[in-house]
Amino acid sequence: MAKIGINISTGSLQQKEMIVGIDLGTTNSLIAIIHPQDRNPVVLKEFSGNALVPSVIHFGNAHQISVGDEAIPFLLTEPQNTIFSVKRLMGKSYRDIQEKASFYTYKIIDDNSDSLVKIQVGEKFYSPIELSSFILKELKQRAEHILKTSVTKAVITVPAYFNDSQRQATRDAGKLAGLDVLRIVNEPTAASLAYGFGLKSDVNKTIAVYDLGGGTFDVSILSISGGIFEVLSTNGDTYLGGDDFDHAIVNYWMQQLNVSADELKNNKSLSQEFRLKAEEAKKYLSTQEVFDGKLKELNISLSKSEFEKLIHPFIEKTIASCKNALLDAGMEKNEMDEIIMVGGSTRIPFVKNQVEKFFGKPIHDNLNPDEVVALGAAIQADILAGNNKDFLLLDITPLSLGIETMGGLMDVLIPRNSKIPTKASRQYTTQKDGQSGIIISVFQGERDLVKDNRKLAEFSLTNIPAMPAGLPKIEILFLINSDGILNVNAKELRSGVEQTIEVKPQYGLTDEAVEKMLKDAIENAKEDIQTRALVEAKTEARQIVDVTVNFISKNNKILSEEEIQVTQQAITELEKLIETGNKDEIHSAIEKLNSISTPFAERVMDEAIGKAMKGKKV
Ligand code: ADP
Ligand code: MG
């Protein structure tokens, strides 16, 4: 049973800190949690009732910031001070977005370099990370206001196609907003988690997630198997969404009313009126047959069938993306068990129909398309909090964890797919006499050489008292807690010298990166085994050379000239093979050196014992 604390001064229940799920969208953002009582995922709403926070930021004259609905009216009255679609700029350089620069009404610095873009508002410059952090701060404050508790930990979703720098940027935005981002989750994976929430953990399904938002479209094919959610492929268009439908309607009415493009361009308030009216009509037509309204005092109308004709080309494009996604996943459309609809624009009946027609089966639209990603993020957050044990993937380490040993080898302490929390330890020792410190490098990955894996951390254990090589007992302990956070502890057992660090194993690793690392490991397994054997042989050879050289220099008085010479020769031979030889050649050279030096060593030993015996009085 969980214990519940009561805060004596306020009388309120002391809640366990909540980890929130955040859908940081191009158009709208929202925040969700697992309800502490009924354990169901819910989005957080103010009393006014709307969970969606438009991803729009307005800067006032004194750079005071407003975010969300308040900022919307400024989109056209103060376009240069009002930032929208910042998500599209995350992790991008000006060169990346050059072609689409006219899309933005605010000033993007075009220094034409590969450095990350900056946005200029008045005399100030902002990075997309800072701008996104303003949205996240607003969401955090909202959540704190609604939950009446501080919110410092979050899971944030990103599109599956986001690369490392975009994910890193999102994570940094969270940090700037005062959030500890426990994990970055792919939007389609989050959507499938929300879908899979009620499912038994032993189901196997292949699903397509069709996400049509305000500015972007993407489709992903995922497999859910034994509680493991895996993205098989993803496809889409980063400039296709509900905004384009609004534009198409505006163009249609411009023709109806004989309004020229120039007139709209020069009259911003008229242009805003057109755009807002178009969006209103579009939404209205999701449930009604005909929209009637007024623009410039004139009657306008739009029927559902006219609207469908306008958006047909866009929907065709999304279907083409679906075909490509299936192709990449190596699957047929009839192999999809479920089609999950995500994003506000999938409310449009025509979109649903076309998607159903393509896949040849009814779509799954029981979930609220605006909320499903945020709800999935909340489920993921709950899993990270250790409250939900149904989904296996999220309770295991996706990649092996280990440390670097001699010759750059990966020594695995916790193999991949280990259930967490877990711990493992192993003992190591020093290579050199009197060595006072060792460097411990922590790696993640499946390859035998650390250079092919990902380095997570490096730290050193120092102040080891002087001891001959091989004598210190250094115990390395890996501990992963249920948040997926790795602690590494190194302790020299004879002296008690100790050092601990915390590492986040999944930091910045995308699902695709994990997948790629696994794939590489399988493809290279054979080569890796050979490399490992060679590295091990070389390491062994070097140690034997060291020991023998040491032995000769210590005992050169006892050994004959000739003995020293043959040993020296065998050493030189072995040294040459360390550089150029293969594993077998090195092994036989080691054996040869051993067979030469062992009798000498035995003789030296006998003499030493003899001397010791002589000195002793019996
Ligand atoms: P994003 O993921 O890009 O942040 P959303 O999923 O919130 O975007 O979708 C926003 C888009 O959905 C907007 O273009 C909006 O006009 C559209 N939309 C919202 N509700 C409806 C509706 N009932 N009918 C048609 N389109 C809608
Ligand atoms: Mg979205």
Side-chain angles (χ1 to χ4, degrees):
M1 256 326 265
K3 282 190 196 135
I4 298 172
I6 295 176
N7 183 325
I8 300 171
S9 60
T10 62
S12 63
L13 289 184
Q14 211 141 44
Q15 291 171 321
K16 200 173 136 191
E17 203 197 358
M18 189 115 9
I19 308 175
V20 297
I22 295 177
D23 172 3
L24 183 61
T26 313
T27 320
N28 295 300
S29 298
L30 63 164
I31 192 161
I33 59 158
I34 298 294
H35 196 284
Q37 266 96 49
D38 68 15
R39 313 282 319 139
N40 281 322
V42 281
V43 298
L44 295 178
K45 299 181 189 188
E46 293 278 12
F47 290 116
S48 58
N50 199 357
L52 299 186
V53 176
S55 306
V56 179
I57 307 146
H58 172 253
F59 292 90
N61 288 335
H63 279 264
Q64 70 275 33
I65 296 164
S66 57
V67 174
D69 287 317
E70 282 171 62
I72 294 275
F74 297 106
L75 274 174
L76 280 136
T77 57
E78 288 181 37
Q80 69 287 359
N81 300 333
T82 314
I83 316 296
F84 62 95
S85 284
V86 64
K87 186 171 177 178
R88 289 181 166 164
L89 301 174
M90 290 290 263
K92 295 277 172 94
S93 69
Y94 186 78
R95 195 166 291 167
D96 292 330
I97 57 130
Q98 213 165 12
E99 272 174 41
K100 304 276 182 181
S102 65
F103 168 85
Y104 304 93
T105 56
Y106 44 88
K107 189 165 166 66
I108 299 176
I109 305 301
D110 55 344
D111 64 355
N112 215 358
S113 74
D114 288 325
S115 55
L116 299 179
V117 292
K118 286 263 180 192
I119 290 100
Q120 185 174 7
V121 182
E123 279 91 60
K124 285 203 180 177
F125 298 92
Y126 298 95
S127 68
I129 294 174
E130 284 170 281
L131 295 168
S132 297
S133 83
F134 297 144
I135 299 170
L136 289 170
K137 251 185 223 158
E138 169 71 23
L139 292 171
K140 176 178 175 326
Q141 276 165 15
R142 260 185 179 231
E144 289 176 337
H145 184 237
I146 296 166
L147 297 170
K148 300 190 174 44
T149 171
S150 82
V151 169
T152 60
K153 292 188 173 135
V155 166
I156 303 179
T157 60
V158 297
Y161 58 77
F162 256 29
N163 64 27
D164 254 15
S165 71
Q166 291 170 302
R167 283 164 199 263
Q168 196 58 49
T170 306
R171 199 179 260 283
D172 292 343
K175 216 183 287 168
L176 261 185
L179 291 168
D180 180 8
V181 181
L182 296 187
R183 198 161 298 176
I184 296 287
V185 188
N186 288 329
E187 285 162 14
T189 312
S192 66
L193 265 180
Y195 159 76
F197 184 68
L199 298 181
K200 293 240 164 60
S201 60
D202 60 353
V203 295
N204 292 320
K205 287 198 176 200
T206 306
I207 63 173
V209 176
Y210 179 102
D211 183 348
L212 188 57
T216 60
F217 166 72
D218 52 88
V219 55
S220 303
I221 312 292
L222 292 102
S223 84
I224 305 179
S225 160
I228 298 179
F229 292 70
E230 188 188 357
V231 180
L232 301 178
S233 70
T234 180
N235 207 289
D237 188 331
T238 47
Y239 283 87
L240 195 167
D243 296 349
D244 298 298
F245 308 165
D246 303 346
H247 260 114
I249 298 173
V250 169
N251 287 336
Y252 177 81
W253 283 339
M254 279 165 62
Q255 279 175 9
Q256 238 184 27
L257 300 181
N258 248 328
V259 173
S260 74
D262 275 350
E263 193 178 338
L264 272 200
K265 215 172 160 188
N266 298 329
N267 187 342
K268 291 224 163 99
S269 66
L270 182 65
S271 151
Q272 178 189 30
E273 214 184 315
F274 263 77
R275 211 180 54 85
L276 291 177
K277 193 61 92 183
E279 193 183 6
E280 185 190 334
K282 173 184 77 175
K283 289 183 178 171
Y284 186 80
L285 291 174
S286 286
T287 51
Q288 310 295 322
E289 289 302 313
V290 185
F291 174 83
D292 291 303
K294 266 190 188 309
L295 266 177
K296 283 183 84 186
E297 315 277 289
L298 297 166
N299 289 329
I300 46 153
S301 75
L302 182 67
S303 73
K304 197 168 171 175
S305 62
E306 282 161 336
F307 171 62
E308 290 175 358
K309 243 184 257 157
L310 291 177
I311 65 169
H312 194 218
F314 298 111
I315 310 307
E316 285 288 286
K317 270 186 159 178
T318 70
I319 298 296
S321 285
C322 292
K323 285 180 190 158
N324 287 332
L326 285 166
L327 214 62
D328 288 346
M331 307 206 74
E332 300 290 332
K333 54 189 179 184
N334 58 18
E335 288 178 84
M336 298 299 111
D337 295 307
E338 210 71 69
I339 323 295
I340 317 280
M341 301 297 265
V342 181
S345 299
T346 62
R347 287 230 154 82
I348 300 169
F350 183 66
V351 172
K352 296 188 197 184
N353 296 342
Q354 294 299 106
V355 175
E356 279 180 347
K357 212 168 98 192
F358 171 71
F359 283 103
K361 68 163 45 171
I363 48 138
H364 185 95
D365 61 353
N366 304 350
L367 298 163
N368 181 331
D370 297 326
E371 298 180 350
V372 48
V373 169
L375 295 175
I379 296 167
Q380 169 76 60
D382 196 47
I383 291 163
L384 290 179
N387 300 328
N388 182 341
K389 309 266 185 226
D390 291 344
F391 301 127
L392 188 66
L393 169 74
L394 312 148
D395 276 334
I396 60 176
T397 52
L399 292 167
S400 301
L401 294 161
I403 66 165
E404 175 176 359
T405 54
M406 280 290 282
L409 290 180
M410 171 86 174
D411 196 32
V412 172
L413 273 94
I414 298 179
R416 80 185 192 89
N417 286 347
S418 297
K419 263 190 178 262
I420 57 173
T422 183
K423 63 177 178 181
S425 69
R426 194 166 295 165
Q427 280 186 19
Y428 300 88
T429 189
T430 50
Q431 296 292 336
K432 294 208 167 73
D433 290 340
Q435 189 175 334
S436 67
I438 58 162
I439 290 172
I440 294 141
S441 301
V442 182
F443 283 84
Q444 181 179 43
E446 307 313 309
R447 301 287 296 274
D448 274 345
L449 296 180
V450 291
K451 73 173 173 53
D452 300 320
N453 291 329
R454 187 188 182 87
K455 188 174 195 166
L456 298 176
E458 182 177 284
F459 69 111
S460 49
L461 181 66
T462 51
N463 297 326
I464 301 172
M467 281 183 254
L471 203 58
K473 281 188 178 175
I474 296 157
E475 186 186 67
I476 309 279
L477 172 72
F478 273 34
L479 210 146
I480 308 180
N481 67 16
S482 45
D483 282 347
I485 291 167
L486 172 68
N487 270 284
V488 180
N489 176 278
K491 187 175 184 178
E492 201 290 298
L493 298 176
R494 291 184 196 276
S495 60
V497 172
E498 192 169 358
Q499 179 74 40
T500 303
I501 56 154
E502 186 178 274
V503 217
K504 293 199 174 111
Q506 276 96 13
Y507 195 87
L509 262 196
T510 66
D511 289 357
E512 298 88 271
V514 170
E515 201 178 306
K516 182 169 182 305
M517 287 172 94
L518 291 178
K519 236 170 70 212
D520 286 352
I522 294 164
E523 277 165 16
N524 296 298
K526 209 171 144 202
E527 196 184 306
D528 273 6
I529 289 168
Q530 285 165 359
T531 318
R532 175 179 274 270
L534 181 62
V535 170
E536 277 170 354
K538 285 183 177 178
T539 305
E540 191 187 338
R542 281 199 196 96
Q543 277 169 343
I544 287 178
V545 168
D546 277 355
V547 169
T548 317
V549 168
N550 213 348
F551 170 80
I552 294 177
S553 79
K554 265 191 193 152
N555 301 292
N556 57 1
K557 300 222 174 68
I558 303 171
L559 297 170
S560 73
E561 194 85 355
E562 202 208 328
E563 282 171 336
I564 292 176
Q565 208 194 334
V566 284
T567 317
Q568 201 58 264
Q569 209 175 339
I571 288 173
T572 315
E573 227 166 88
L574 182 53
E575 276 177 332
K576 212 180 343 173
L577 287 172
I578 288 175
E579 300 309 321
T580 58
N582 65 33
K583 170 196 81 174
D584 295 333
E585 290 167 338
I586 295 174
H587 274 304
S588 54
I590 289 174
E591 261 164 45
K592 188 171 166 199
L593 177 58
N594 268 336
S595 67
I596 293 171
S597 63
T598 310
F600 304 161
E602 277 166 1
R603 216 189 70 221
V604 169
M605 200 81 117
D606 286 349
E607 275 181 32
I609 293 170
K611 255 188 213 157
M613 299 289 276
K614 256 184 232 160
K616 278 219 175 103
K617 294 204 171 117
V618 187

